[in-house]
Amino acid sequence: MDKLIIKGQNILEGSVTMSGAKNAVLPLMAAALLVDGKTIIHRVPDLRDTRTMVRLLEILGAKIKFKNHTLEIDGSTVNRIEAPYELVKTMRASFYVLGPLLARFGQARVSLPGGCAWGPRPVDFHLRGFKLLGAVIELTDGYIQASAKKLIGNKVHFEVSSVGATGNIVMAAVLAEGVTIIQNAAREPEIVQLCEVLNLMGSKITGLGSNTLRIEGVNELVPAEVEVIPDRIETGTFLMAGAALGKITLKNTEPEHLGIVLEKIELSGASIQISGKNITVEHEGPIKPVNITTDVFPGFPTDLQAQWIAFMALASGSSIIKDTIYHDRFAHVSELVRLGAKIQMENNVAIVHGVEQLKGAQVMSTDIRASASLVNAALMAQGKTEISRIYHVDRGYEKIEEKLKFLGAEIWRESE
């Protein structure tokens, strides 16, 4: 098992290209199950999670080629409708295969999901949606068994906007009979791209980017060739590192996906310059404390909450970080405290009292974004930090140490 070693307080400078979005490519890979043919996806990040999804699709019978960030998925050979616990337990996004399998084959058997070891992320919204489309749902031995002779369009209203449930129901509804209306649908860029790609495949989805999606079912879909959107969470993570430690340019990203994040970084005292698809961030004086409250898109992403807490740890004052999406997503706080951060927790609110200096220590990753927060904190800290259980960071960040090293960070990987 590897660990990351970081010697902090090096100036970051230069430019680095951002990867394709993990949270966009995983549902796109699942969508390939809907078609009898080869789907080609470019700019696929080479991550533990994408490799896990590749293995899952292969278990289902798909033939896969993955080379130079291009993924070819042949859905014509799919001959199995069960997603086993061994894979689904390691990555919640595996649950995305339920909708496509149910839509195309009329049945699916998918293990209840696992993934990051924090907080409940129930699949109830997914299952209620499938039931409204006419599916029979049974839970046996930890598996969801779904079946339907033919899915029928219906009105689906989510009490709380859910990215995963929106994606799953959309993929089921595209082959349903009649019209499906999804109310309070997720508006995240990753969902917009999923709908765009499904439309390229022959779907009839309108309302993209709004909280109401209309899906008119079609009889069949055809393969498509697409390029994954930039990873806004990776971009946000690097923006905060640059805002704290120097001047860096992040290339081939999408500023429009980061509106509120860019605003908050500017409020912290850093400067932001946008040139096309490139963003330059520069540290300019003391970090000012800035409060954030996470929310569904276009609000501040919950996937950047941990990194913002690390950033605010060196602010010249106190800040309040509230997570309204996942109330107990704060496992990183105790590890940041080990580095000298001063953080007070009150339910789903972190009150961060900025300190003059963080100091290196041994810390442990607990999930993908917590890992990123520890990397950023270690870059800002005096001395050496060792981060263990970095398989979490490898799930969501492609070659993070190589990119940071290219910008001037002193960071390397060792076997524990």
Side-chain angles (χ1 to χ4, degrees):
M1 191 177 294
D2 289 347
K3 62 183 176 180
L4 279 177
I5 313 296
I6 300 173
K7 287 187 177 178
Q9 297 189 336
N10 284 325
I11 299 298
L12 300 183
E13 57 186 354
S15 62
V16 67
T17 299
M18 295 289 93
S19 297
K22 174 185 96 85
N23 291 339
V25 74
L26 296 175
L28 293 181
M29 292 170 71
L33 296 170
L34 287 163
V35 297
D36 184 5
K38 295 179 180 178
T39 299
I40 298 173
I41 309 174
H42 300 288
R43 201 183 181 186
V44 176
D46 192 355
L47 305 166
R48 285 178 74 107
D49 275 11
T50 47
R51 293 284 180 177
T52 297
M53 186 63 94
V54 164
R55 290 198 301 274
L56 176 54
L57 296 181
E58 288 176 332
I59 285 173
L60 296 173
K63 291 183 178 177
I64 311 283
K65 293 180 182 177
F66 188 16
K67 187 177 181 180
N68 297 330
H69 295 94
T70 292
L71 188 60
E72 181 182 285
I73 304 169
D74 188 348
S76 66
T77 56
V78 173
N79 56 9
R80 189 178 178 190
I81 51 103
E82 179 176 314
Y85 172 70
E86 288 71 26
L87 284 183
V88 182
K89 72 177 180 181
T90 66
M91 185 182 70
R92 293 173 185 265
S94 306
F95 204 66
Y96 271 128
V97 302
L98 181 53
L101 290 175
L102 179 61
R104 183 175 168 194
F105 300 104
Q107 55 182 327
R109 189 170 188 263
V110 178
S111 170
L112 285 170
C116 291
W118 52 264
R121 287 198 262 181
V123 297
D124 293 1
F125 290 165
H126 302 242
L127 303 185
R128 287 177 199 152
F130 292 134
K131 287 179 181 178
L132 286 168
L133 297 181
V136 176
I137 305 290
E138 296 177 353
L139 175 61
T140 55
D141 302 323
Y143 280 77
I144 300 295
Q145 181 81 39
S147 60
K149 288 183 179 180
K150 181 66 177 177
L151 295 175
I152 307 295
N154 201 348
K155 184 179 289 185
V156 178
H157 176 82
F158 294 128
E159 296 172 21
V160 179
S161 178
S162 166
V163 171
T166 299
N168 229 338
I169 301 307
V170 166
M171 287 189 281
V174 291
L175 291 180
E177 183 179 310
V179 174
T180 298
I181 305 291
I182 302 179
Q183 297 176 327
N184 201 21
R187 300 168 55 193
E188 274 70 7
E190 297 80 10
I191 290 296
V192 172
Q193 178 163 51
L194 173 63
C195 293
E196 290 172 343
V197 172
L198 289 169
N199 281 345
L200 279 176
M201 292 175 166
S203 299
K204 296 179 179 179
I205 308 171
T206 56
L208 279 64
S210 76
N211 57 12
T212 300
L213 294 174
R214 183 184 188 276
I215 304 119
E216 183 180 339
V218 298
N219 291 326
E220 64 177 355
L221 301 174
V222 296
E225 184 169 351
V226 301
E227 181 176 289
V228 180
I229 59 175
D231 196 316
R232 63 194 174 102
I233 306 304
E234 179 192 38
T235 304
T237 301
F238 274 74
L239 283 170
M240 291 177 212
L245 290 163
K247 180 181 181 181
I248 62 175
T249 298
L250 307 179
K251 298 165 64 177
N252 201 6
T253 187
E254 183 48 80
E256 290 186 5
H257 295 169
L258 288 154
I260 192 169
V261 177
L262 298 176
E263 290 175 19
K264 294 291 186 179
I265 288 174
E266 285 189 309
L267 287 173
S268 76
S271 73
I272 296 284
Q273 304 247 330
I274 296 172
S275 176
K277 301 300 181 183
N278 301 334
I279 305 174
T280 299
V281 60
E282 183 174 6
H283 173 76
E284 292 188 348
I287 300 170
K288 300 175 184 176
V290 179
N291 302 335
I292 62 112
T293 298
T294 69
D295 204 352
V296 297
F297 189 84
F300 196 95
T302 182
D303 277 356
L304 287 173
Q305 174 256 102
Q307 299 89 311
W308 193 261
I309 289 179
F311 183 42
M312 289 293 101
L314 287 182
S316 57
S318 298
S319 56
I320 298 172
I321 291 88
K322 182 177 182 180
D323 200 321
T324 65
I325 307 299
Y326 300 120
H327 288 192
D328 49 3
R329 192 181 196 178
F330 291 96
H332 47 280
V333 166
S334 59
E335 299 302 303
L336 290 171
V337 169
R338 288 179 55 81
L339 295 172
K342 190 175 180 183
I343 305 167
Q344 174 185 348
M345 288 301 307
E346 295 180 5
N347 298 317
N348 64 322
V349 177
I351 303 167
V352 184
H353 305 287
V355 296
E356 287 189 8
Q357 188 164 263
L358 299 175
K359 294 189 176 181
Q362 291 180 322
V363 292
M364 177 181 71
S365 299
T366 54
D367 62 70
I368 300 173
R369 308 310 173 183
S371 303
S373 75
L374 294 176
V375 169
N376 276 5
L379 292 171
M380 298 186 293
Q382 180 188 55
K384 185 172 76 171
T385 298
E386 294 185 9
I387 308 174
S388 61
R389 296 176 67 183
I390 60 165
Y391 57 85
H392 286 295
V393 80
D394 291 336
R395 287 184 54 205
Y397 291 85
E398 185 176 33
K399 299 179 179 177
I400 189 169
E401 73 272 23
E402 291 184 23
K403 291 181 179 181
L404 287 170
K405 195 177 295 184
F406 190 73
L407 294 173
E410 198 170 347
I411 175 173
W412 66 96
R413 188 176 292 239
E414 288 183 0
S415 294
E416 290 195 80

